[in-house]
Amino acid sequence: MRDIVVFSGSAHPRLAASISGALGVPLSEVEITRFSNDCLQARLLANCRQRDVYIVQPLVPPTQEHLMELLLMIDAAKGASAAQITAVIPHYAYARSDKKDASRISLGGRLVADLLATSGVSRVLTMALHAPQVHGFFSVPVDHLTAIGVLADHFRGRDLSDTVVVSPDLGNAKTATLFARLLGLPVAAGSKQRKADDKVVIDAIVGDVTGKRAIVLDDEIATGGSVVELMDRLKEFGCTEAAIACTHGLFAGPAVERLSTHPMIQEVVTTDTVPAPDWPQLQVRSVADLFAKAIARIHAGESVSSLFDGVDPTHAPPDARLPLG
């Protein structure tokens, strides 16, 4: 079997090191240099010839810089005769740009997918796309992981009586329902209208939250505006307190101050798909082992969806039970 080589861009080397450690392979070095005209150059400092190359790089701020690094590293691996190149993108930022909802608007999710394919990537490994249909923008295979099992583990073993899982919007309600099933809890959802990138209005709560504690599940938290708006509505509907759980904790701008000082919020838990901010009270669950297992299965030609048996039916359809005759 071909050797595995793992590289990391500058976006999140700690996660890359954890993934390579779980795989039992060293994290190979990369040299990123900047010319006087501000152009970047990537050089991979390990042999890639006829090897399976995995490049770990979430698209986090400065997003464009990290995207260009990733494209250059893929190009370098292609030029070095890698047998297969997998872009491990724990957070695919451009999944937010997934539809034409205004005149003459760009479709960044598809454009970045095309750039990755053109650069020479063989496969993409990502987690919790903001819009699942972005999966279809890629012309190469995509393995789409979920962190709801990891996040559910954080709450297991607690007294969850009088607790309800709440989705910030109806679009995320399906994932919230799957998460609620893992914990044996009911589910509710906010009715959200987005006015701008950092401004939302939640005008109603669908489901019973009166007198209950909430676990709010979201795929991504950027400025925290949606969560704060949701907290205000939950309080109006009689909810007593809330824990916040999300896969991608970007916590940009005023997010940390908003979430750490809100009287309704008792706890915030996220994963390490992106670097954590300086926030000692933040609970961070690692997804490194999950990515390592997925890489090992890809390398061995085994099923990745079987990682989610009993966790998320959308990622692991139930086995067929029809007689084979």
Side-chain angles (χ1 to χ4, degrees):
M1 186 178 290
R2 294 187 297 262
D3 291 338
I4 290 178
V5 186
V6 181
F7 296 99
S8 173
S10 62
H12 200 353
R14 179 178 295 181
L15 175 61
S18 297
I19 292 171
S20 62
L23 280 168
V25 300
L27 182 62
S28 298
E29 294 186 7
V30 179
E31 183 179 81
I32 303 290
T33 54
R34 188 184 300 273
F35 292 108
S36 56
N37 64 355
D38 203 40
C39 291
L40 294 174
Q41 176 178 271
R43 183 186 180 198
L44 307 180
L45 302 181
N47 183 16
C48 300
R49 186 174 295 275
Q50 294 306 304
R51 287 166 166 79
D52 284 354
V53 172
Y54 295 84
I55 302 172
V56 183
Q57 181 85 321
L59 299 183
V60 295
T63 306
Q64 282 57 247
E65 186 99 352
H66 291 144
L67 172 60
M68 195 64 200
E69 278 186 16
L70 176 59
L71 295 172
L72 291 171
M73 287 187 288
I74 293 168
D75 180 72
K78 180 182 178 182
S81 301
Q84 177 173 278
I85 306 165
T86 300
V88 182
I89 311 176
H91 175 55
Y92 185 71
Y94 278 93
R96 280 186 170 273
S97 181
D98 65 307
K99 57 187 175 294
K100 289 263 189 181
D101 53 2
S103 301
R104 298 170 297 281
I105 195 169
S106 61
L107 203 59
R110 187 180 65 189
L111 175 61
V112 172
D114 289 344
L115 288 170
L116 289 164
T118 300
S119 67
V121 79
S122 311
R123 176 182 296 270
V124 170
L125 177 60
T126 188
M127 175 170 277
L129 290 170
H130 182 71
Q133 64 267 24
V134 171
H135 191 148
F137 290 171
F138 289 87
S139 58
V140 297
V142 176
D143 289 301
H144 185 199
L145 307 183
T146 177
I148 64 170
V150 173
L151 292 172
D153 284 343
H154 180 80
F155 295 97
R156 284 199 176 95
R158 300 185 182 187
D159 178 9
L160 297 178
S161 56
D162 296 322
T163 301
V164 59
V165 172
V166 179
S167 170
D169 55 66
L170 298 174
N172 193 54
K174 184 176 182 179
T175 301
T177 299
L178 295 169
F179 179 76
R181 287 177 185 169
L182 294 179
L183 296 174
L185 297 175
V187 66
S191 176
K192 181 171 77 174
Q193 299 179 49
R194 182 168 290 279
K195 302 296 185 180
D197 178 54
D198 59 351
K199 181 175 176 57
V200 300
V201 174
I202 297 176
D203 52 16
I205 301 294
V206 180
D208 181 18
V209 298
T210 304
K212 296 183 178 181
R213 296 173 293 179
I215 300 176
V216 175
L217 179 72
D218 208 351
D219 64 317
E220 174 184 326
I221 295 177
T223 64
S226 296
V227 174
V228 170
E229 178 76 10
L230 179 62
M231 290 300 103
D232 294 341
R233 296 292 81 74
L234 286 173
K235 185 175 181 179
E236 289 178 7
F237 279 76
C239 184
T240 58
E241 63 182 48
I244 311 298
C246 71
T247 300
H248 309 300
L250 297 171
F251 304 121
V256 173
E257 181 180 359
R258 282 174 169 175
L259 300 180
S260 61
T261 59
H262 197 287
M264 281 277 289
I265 299 174
Q266 304 300 310
E267 177 185 24
V268 180
V269 57
T270 187
T271 77
D272 57 352
T273 57
V274 302
D278 183 15
W279 185 5
Q281 292 75 30
L282 180 67
Q283 302 289 314
V284 181
R285 304 282 300 202
S286 182
V287 292
D289 284 348
L290 190 54
F291 274 98
K293 289 176 182 176
I295 289 171
R297 290 180 181 228
I298 291 169
H299 183 65
E302 298 175 355
S303 169
V304 172
S305 65
S306 60
L307 284 173
F308 305 107
D309 286 342
V311 174
D312 186 352
T314 64
H315 295 264
D319 293 333
R321 298 187 181 277
L322 294 176
L324 299 178

